[in-house]
Amino acid sequence: MVDQALPKQAANISDNAADDEPRCFVAKLFGKRARNREVQEERILTAAMNCFIRSGFRGASMNEICSEAGMSPGALYRYFPSKEAIIEKIAATHRQQSAEILARMSQSNNIVDAITNVGLDHVRKMSMNDEGPGPRDSSARLFVEVRAESMRNESVAAICELHEGLMREELLAAFSAAKERGEIDPVTDLDLTVAAVAAMGEGIIMRNFPAQGVPLEALEPVFRALAVGLLRPTTPLANK
Amino acid sequence: MVDQALPKQAANISDNAADDEPRCFVAKLFGKRARNREVQEERILTAAMNCFIRSGFRGASMNEICSEAGMSPGALYRYFPSKEAIIEKIAATHRQQSAEILARMSQSNNIVDAITNVGLDHVRKMSMNDEGPGPRDSSARLFVEVRAESMRNESVAAICELHEGLMREELLAAFSAAKERGEIDPVTDLDLTVAAVAAMGEGIIMRNFPAQGVPLEALEPVFRALAVGLLRPTTPLANK
DNA sequence: TAAATGAGAGAGAACGTTCTCTCTCATTTG
DNA sequence: CAAATGAGAGAGAACGTTCTCTCTCATTTA
């Protein structure tokens, strides 16, 4: 069989500069014998995510994950030292995706539009990983699973706090800027408002409205009303 | 790990056997015997709840629950046929408590006050079971645990849907009445608003603000602003 | 005494993890 | 060039533990 795979360690150890030949480094991306470590890790994480969505962090067994990934336990444990490590990695990835969406808060010059758009973006993103097989609200399930685990698992709690702290900072910065622009009632407690918006957003994400037949367009006025209500903008309909 | 010096068997019932009670079959079913059974079931449920809060539904073992309850497995399995049955019972009890609070929605004649008060009641109740030992946000933990389980466990999902359906009905009835009173913009989509309020409420409950040092009084304007924003009352400050 | 109750051992399955062995293949050696 | 080498990758049995649940038998209760 002429299956040329990427020699990972050869590139690291030997320093032969005559490596201009474009080798077939895409070793059958998710195929039986993929050689690349990152590809294998990705394969495991994808499988584990499916299992965790189906059975929960504690409910899913390593054998279940191995079957889903098409690997043996021996192979899997070459890439992750423990089930706990897989859980932590998946929790981090999931929360990081949320934080990245929130990072776009400061792009808008209008706080009501900013909240509305970022909220919709978040809901859209969280309801999107539902193309392939499996339950329609996989992201919502994972979200709740991570939240539950974070309430009793020290390291998962730390991972969540890291990303959620970033999200709160982003919100606070946007709110502060809006306050200086005069868009927010000066007496508003911004810290509390940030916490409330974050909490309510979590509730919305958790329920996964798009998966229940509520279109994003229907959600738009809800987010807008929430923003108007909580932030009491002094010029509520200026940009609308 | 509190090994409470609880008398083994005889202490749970008062010893006034001198009464000339009818010792018929029915009396046995509904008399002292039945009451003792309820006491034992309650003991198991309380212990199980503590364990589930500490370790999660799947993470807590039956041995852990037995130790917490000060019972042997043989005794425990006399009262509950399976771990699943305990989980279902606890999920039902927890969700029912929420539904009972929501049932007071119709008592208020002002929709903004109604939402504010019921929201505060709910948060207060959910943060109150924190007198004894254990984590401060036991109700929030249980809430998330039940939600997570409901997303992959058919019977727990049915239990949740039962009580949450009641809650949505209650909200919808209050909103409809308010709409007829002219308190809500006629174009508002009440079904969507009910769903949104419920989802955001879940988010607030989940974060358990009182346990994080946010007093209920601080939360009051947040609920009020949320209600005003989402329901757009035509006479927003009438009763304030 | 008969029925109810409970303690505790432990059965049998499933768990997370480790171990051993085989296979593949780039590189080294002859 | 062909054989030898050795390290990475993986399969799958097996390990010790822990799981849920049952069974036996002693004690309590009516």
Side-chain angles (χ1 to χ4, degrees), chain A:
Chain A
M1 187 184 291
V2 198
D3 186 287
Q4 278 189 311
L6 174 69
K8 169 187 157 302
Q9 66 280 15
N12 293 341
I13 299 170
S14 64
D15 47 340
N16 48 348
D19 202 9
D20 47 2
E21 188 80 12
R23 313 259 271 256
C24 176
F25 63 94
V26 183
K28 289 195 285 183
L29 210 61
F30 273 22
K32 280 275 181 182
R33 312 271 325 237
R35 285 300 151 90
N36 190 287
R37 166 166 264 269
E38 280 177 22
V39 169
Q40 293 292 69
E41 283 179 2
E42 197 56 41
R43 178 145 77 114
I44 293 167
L45 288 174
T46 301
M49 229 176 60
N50 288 335
C51 294
F52 290 153
I53 287 164
R54 194 192 306 126
S55 317
F57 282 151
R58 315 302 253 237
S61 74
M62 289 303 270
N63 268 334
E64 190 182 336
I65 297 172
C66 288
S67 295
E68 180 89 15
M71 291 179 118
S72 66
L76 191 147
Y77 274 89
R78 186 171 292 277
Y79 298 97
F80 287 93
S82 66
K83 189 185 182 184
E84 179 77 13
I86 301 180
I87 291 175
E88 286 170 17
K89 181 72 182 176
I90 285 181
T93 304
H94 193 262
R95 282 298 191 268
Q96 194 178 4
Q97 285 177 1
S98 289
E100 281 167 8
I101 292 168
L102 264 285
R104 288 181 224 131
M105 270 299 284
S106 48
Q107 287 182 1
S108 179
N109 280 332
N110 174 298
I111 192 62
V112 172
D113 284 344
I115 287 195
T116 306
N117 292 332
V118 165
L120 289 175
D121 280 353
H122 203 173
V123 171
R124 185 184 298 115
K125 181 77 198 303
M126 287 289 125
S127 65
M128 257 182 55
N129 321 17
D130 302 322
E131 305 303 320
R136 280 278 280 276
D137 35 31
S138 49
S139 259
R141 292 189 187 205
L142 215 44
F143 183 91
V144 181
E145 198 63 34
V146 172
R147 167 65 63 238
E149 189 68 17
S150 79
M151 292 182 113
R152 52 183 130 82
N153 183 323
E154 195 66 34
S155 55
V156 172
I159 288 166
C160 285
E161 186 45 40
L162 173 69
H163 293 108
E164 285 159 19
L166 292 177
M167 290 161 76
R168 282 197 304 271
E169 272 180 31
E170 197 69 32
L171 279 176
L172 187 60
F175 287 3
S176 298
K179 201 176 197 177
E180 285 184 9
R181 271 185 264 125
E183 286 181 34
I184 301 181
D185 189 334
V187 302
T188 306
D189 178 344
L190 287 195
D191 283 313
L192 177 60
T193 307
V194 163
V197 166
M200 292 176 182
E202 286 195 12
I204 297 276
I205 292 294
M206 215 168 52
R207 294 312 265 181
N208 198 3
F209 284 95
Q212 291 179 314
V214 178
L216 282 174
E217 304 87 62
L219 233 42
E220 200 262 0
V222 173
F223 278 119
R224 192 166 293 275
L226 171 70
V228 171
L230 284 182
L231 298 174
R232 299 180 187 76
T234 47
T235 54
L237 302 177
N239 286 30
K240 184 56 185 169

